[in-house]
Amino acid sequence: MRRLLVTLFAGLIIPATLPAQADSTRDSIIVRLVARLDLERYKATIKGLTAFGDRRQGTDRNRAAVDWIEAQLRSSGCSNVARLKYDYQPQPPNQGPRQTRDTSRASSGGRYRGIRARTGVNTDSLKQPDARVRALDAQASTPGAREEVYCTKIGDTHPDEMYIVGGHMDGIGWGEAANDDGSGTALVMELARVLSSPDVRTDRSIRFVLWNNEETGLNGSRAYVDQRRALQGTKDEPKWLGMIQHDMMLFDHGMPRADGTLSPDQRPEADVNIEFQSSAKFAAEAQQLAWVFQRANEKYATDYPASVGSHMTNTDSAPFQDLVPAISLRESERGTQIGAGWDPNWHQPTDLYATYHDADFRLGLNAAQTTLAALAGLTGATLK
Ligand SMILES: [Zn+2]
């Protein structure tokens, strides 16, 4: 309120401050939109997803989760819903000579520093002590037909151009995939809710996509790119302006200690890591987009800052990175930090809703605030 009065006052005296006034109107719209995100709602959406266990691709629990997500999107007003269909056949195990990778370097270019702890994927059901979760995750995956759901907020003045906002809804590891990637899926669903409110209009379109088969090698996002990239500019597919992926948004407890254990608490200096890939064809534009998000975080996120890095990897934005500016948001850098064991629940039976505290969930909420604020600016959001 004080800011509004100051702006009005300044505007009355010096007409040259009119652009600042326009800025302040846009600011207040973004502040009001960001205020529509809520920690308890975000937590409730993550909890809802964990009712389907790890949501592993090719299972009944995965299909039921896709149906549930679709129902949630519709009920929150993102009624322009569709599904992408594709077929998934796992690759036979490689029988040739094993490729060795330089394990002193992080995936996709980063450099490890300090202490590293083990990472891996749990495939042992008996490592899940909770019989309820073990039963929930029991059905094995079968190859074949797959579906993933998306909905679209149609822009008013440039409906034929869109930003793609994604998270992957499948998981692995005999837990509840609460963080990987219930936290990213719920973030996308919450943004779809806020931006689909009847009083919100945007110039450009926004597509909210919940990828399937991320954990098997980005098959769901690759299928989308394969099927739809050539349709861009037709009535069936708006032109892609950028791709923003969200994966593992909650846990930033710092580097492992010398004994391999981690702090039980979110570190106070936790941050949202915005990454682009410096070797991508659209690296320069992706970097620009990353800084737009960093600035949006600085201005509008309530608790945690954001950092920009150049080693985006192992994420659904990768299939897009040579076609459009593509970035990802995470709790930590994927290569040098998560890859060095900074998240002990990653693909483990401990990735349960009950594992996380409010300080963890709040980091995910701050990532949601960041993306919402950046998108509102990029798409020219206004409130009726
Ligand atoms: Zn993930």
PDB file of all heavy atoms in Angstrom, residues 168 180-181 214-215 247-248 330 346-347, ligand 1:
ATOM      1  N   HIS A 168       8.400 -34.217 -14.295  1.00  0.00           N
ATOM      2  CA  HIS A 168       8.107 -35.619 -14.647  1.00  0.00           C
ATOM      3  C   HIS A 168       7.339 -36.310 -13.530  1.00  0.00           C
ATOM      4  O   HIS A 168       7.669 -36.153 -12.354  1.00  0.00           O
ATOM      5  CB  HIS A 168       9.369 -36.383 -15.044  1.00  0.00           C
ATOM      6  CG  HIS A 168      10.305 -36.751 -13.927  1.00  0.00           C
ATOM      7  ND1 HIS A 168      10.176 -37.899 -13.187  1.00  0.00           N
ATOM      8  CD2 HIS A 168      11.411 -36.128 -13.439  1.00  0.00           C
ATOM      9  CE1 HIS A 168      11.156 -37.975 -12.302  1.00  0.00           C
ATOM     10  NE2 HIS A 168      11.913 -36.908 -12.425  1.00  0.00           N
ATOM     11  N   ASP A 180      11.288 -36.674  -5.945  1.00  0.00           N
ATOM     12  CA  ASP A 180      11.654 -36.983  -7.331  1.00  0.00           C
ATOM     13  C   ASP A 180      10.566 -37.827  -7.990  1.00  0.00           C
ATOM     14  O   ASP A 180      10.665 -39.036  -7.977  1.00  0.00           O
ATOM     15  CB  ASP A 180      13.000 -37.708  -7.348  1.00  0.00           C
ATOM     16  CG  ASP A 180      13.509 -37.932  -8.754  1.00  0.00           C
ATOM     17  OD1 ASP A 180      12.939 -37.369  -9.701  1.00  0.00           O
ATOM     18  OD2 ASP A 180      14.493 -38.693  -8.898  1.00  0.00           O
ATOM     19  N   ASP A 181       9.545 -37.221  -8.578  1.00  0.00           N
ATOM     20  CA  ASP A 181       9.472 -35.807  -8.816  1.00  0.00           C
ATOM     21  C   ASP A 181       8.086 -35.295  -8.445  1.00  0.00           C
ATOM     22  O   ASP A 181       7.505 -34.464  -9.145  1.00  0.00           O
ATOM     23  CB  ASP A 181       9.822 -35.518 -10.285  1.00  0.00           C
ATOM     24  CG  ASP A 181       9.971 -34.026 -10.561  1.00  0.00           C
ATOM     25  OD1 ASP A 181      10.289 -33.290  -9.622  1.00  0.00           O
ATOM     26  OD2 ASP A 181       9.744 -33.618 -11.694  1.00  0.00           O
ATOM     27  N   GLU A 214      10.435 -40.367 -17.593  1.00  0.00           N
ATOM     28  CA  GLU A 214      11.694 -39.627 -17.462  1.00  0.00           C
ATOM     29  C   GLU A 214      12.789 -40.555 -16.970  1.00  0.00           C
ATOM     30  O   GLU A 214      13.923 -40.530 -17.437  1.00  0.00           O
ATOM     31  CB  GLU A 214      11.517 -38.444 -16.488  1.00  0.00           C
ATOM     32  CG  GLU A 214      12.682 -37.466 -16.477  1.00  0.00           C
ATOM     33  CD  GLU A 214      13.790 -37.788 -15.488  1.00  0.00           C
ATOM     34  OE1 GLU A 214      13.642 -38.739 -14.694  1.00  0.00           O
ATOM     35  OE2 GLU A 214      14.823 -37.111 -15.503  1.00  0.00           O
ATOM     36  N   GLU A 215      12.416 -41.395 -16.004  1.00  0.00           N
ATOM     37  CA  GLU A 215      13.413 -42.230 -15.311  1.00  0.00           C
ATOM     38  C   GLU A 215      14.022 -43.311 -16.206  1.00  0.00           C
ATOM     39  O   GLU A 215      15.040 -43.895 -15.861  1.00  0.00           O
ATOM     40  CB  GLU A 215      12.797 -42.870 -14.064  1.00  0.00           C
ATOM     41  CG  GLU A 215      12.301 -41.857 -13.013  1.00  0.00           C
ATOM     42  CD  GLU A 215      13.418 -41.099 -12.313  1.00  0.00           C
ATOM     43  OE1 GLU A 215      14.597 -41.294 -12.676  1.00  0.00           O
ATOM     44  OE2 GLU A 215      13.098 -40.316 -11.396  1.00  0.00           O
ATOM     45  N   ASP A 247      12.589 -30.440 -11.421  1.00  0.00           N
ATOM     46  CA  ASP A 247      12.894 -31.813 -11.007  1.00  0.00           C
ATOM     47  C   ASP A 247      13.626 -31.813  -9.658  1.00  0.00           C
ATOM     48  O   ASP A 247      14.730 -31.282  -9.570  1.00  0.00           O
ATOM     49  CB  ASP A 247      13.772 -32.463 -12.086  1.00  0.00           C
ATOM     50  CG  ASP A 247      13.844 -33.973 -11.920  1.00  0.00           C
ATOM     51  OD1 ASP A 247      13.328 -34.498 -10.918  1.00  0.00           O
ATOM     52  OD2 ASP A 247      14.423 -34.616 -12.803  1.00  0.00           O
ATOM     53  N   MET A 248      13.008 -32.421  -8.628  1.00  0.00           N
ATOM     54  CA  MET A 248      13.605 -32.520  -7.290  1.00  0.00           C
ATOM     55  C   MET A 248      13.796 -31.120  -6.713  1.00  0.00           C
ATOM     56  O   MET A 248      14.850 -30.514  -6.853  1.00  0.00           O
ATOM     57  CB  MET A 248      14.949 -33.273  -7.321  1.00  0.00           C
ATOM     58  CG  MET A 248      14.830 -34.663  -7.869  1.00  0.00           C
ATOM     59  SD  MET A 248      16.428 -35.450  -8.151  1.00  0.00           S
ATOM     60  CE  MET A 248      16.977 -35.806  -6.485  1.00  0.00           C
ATOM     61  N   ARG A 330      16.120 -26.861 -10.022  1.00  0.00           N
ATOM     62  CA  ARG A 330      16.279 -27.967  -9.076  1.00  0.00           C
ATOM     63  C   ARG A 330      16.713 -27.455  -7.716  1.00  0.00           C
ATOM     64  O   ARG A 330      17.161 -26.326  -7.564  1.00  0.00           O
ATOM     65  CB  ARG A 330      17.360 -28.940  -9.542  1.00  0.00           C
ATOM     66  CG  ARG A 330      17.002 -29.812 -10.698  1.00  0.00           C
ATOM     67  CD  ARG A 330      18.092 -30.874 -10.829  1.00  0.00           C
ATOM     68  NE  ARG A 330      18.190 -31.387 -12.174  1.00  0.00           N
ATOM     69  CZ  ARG A 330      17.784 -32.607 -12.545  1.00  0.00           C
ATOM     70  NH1 ARG A 330      17.261 -33.431 -11.669  1.00  0.00           N
ATOM     71  NH2 ARG A 330      17.930 -33.004 -13.786  1.00  0.00           N
ATOM     72  N   TRP A 346      17.442 -39.703  -3.009  1.00  0.00           N
ATOM     73  CA  TRP A 346      17.295 -39.773  -4.470  1.00  0.00           C
ATOM     74  C   TRP A 346      17.190 -41.234  -4.932  1.00  0.00           C
ATOM     75  O   TRP A 346      18.113 -42.007  -4.723  1.00  0.00           O
ATOM     76  CB  TRP A 346      18.508 -39.084  -5.098  1.00  0.00           C
ATOM     77  CG  TRP A 346      18.515 -38.996  -6.585  1.00  0.00           C
ATOM     78  CD1 TRP A 346      17.435 -38.853  -7.419  1.00  0.00           C
ATOM     79  CD2 TRP A 346      19.667 -39.029  -7.432  1.00  0.00           C
ATOM     80  NE1 TRP A 346      17.860 -38.783  -8.723  1.00  0.00           N
ATOM     81  CE2 TRP A 346      19.219 -38.881  -8.762  1.00  0.00           C
ATOM     82  CE3 TRP A 346      21.038 -39.158  -7.189  1.00  0.00           C
ATOM     83  CZ2 TRP A 346      20.101 -38.875  -9.851  1.00  0.00           C
ATOM     84  CZ3 TRP A 346      21.907 -39.144  -8.272  1.00  0.00           C
ATOM     85  CH2 TRP A 346      21.432 -39.007  -9.578  1.00  0.00           C
ATOM     86  N   HIS A 347      16.030 -41.592  -5.490  1.00  0.00           N
ATOM     87  CA  HIS A 347      15.760 -42.948  -5.991  1.00  0.00           C
ATOM     88  C   HIS A 347      15.855 -44.007  -4.883  1.00  0.00           C
ATOM     89  O   HIS A 347      16.216 -45.150  -5.147  1.00  0.00           O
ATOM     90  CB  HIS A 347      16.702 -43.318  -7.150  1.00  0.00           C
ATOM     91  CG  HIS A 347      16.548 -42.414  -8.341  1.00  0.00           C
ATOM     92  ND1 HIS A 347      17.547 -42.177  -9.245  1.00  0.00           N
ATOM     93  CD2 HIS A 347      15.488 -41.670  -8.773  1.00  0.00           C
ATOM     94  CE1 HIS A 347      17.116 -41.339 -10.188  1.00  0.00           C
ATOM     95  NE2 HIS A 347      15.874 -41.010  -9.918  1.00  0.00           N
TER      96      HIS A 347
HETATM   97 ZN    ZN B   1      13.709 -36.741 -11.384  1.00  0.00          ZN
END
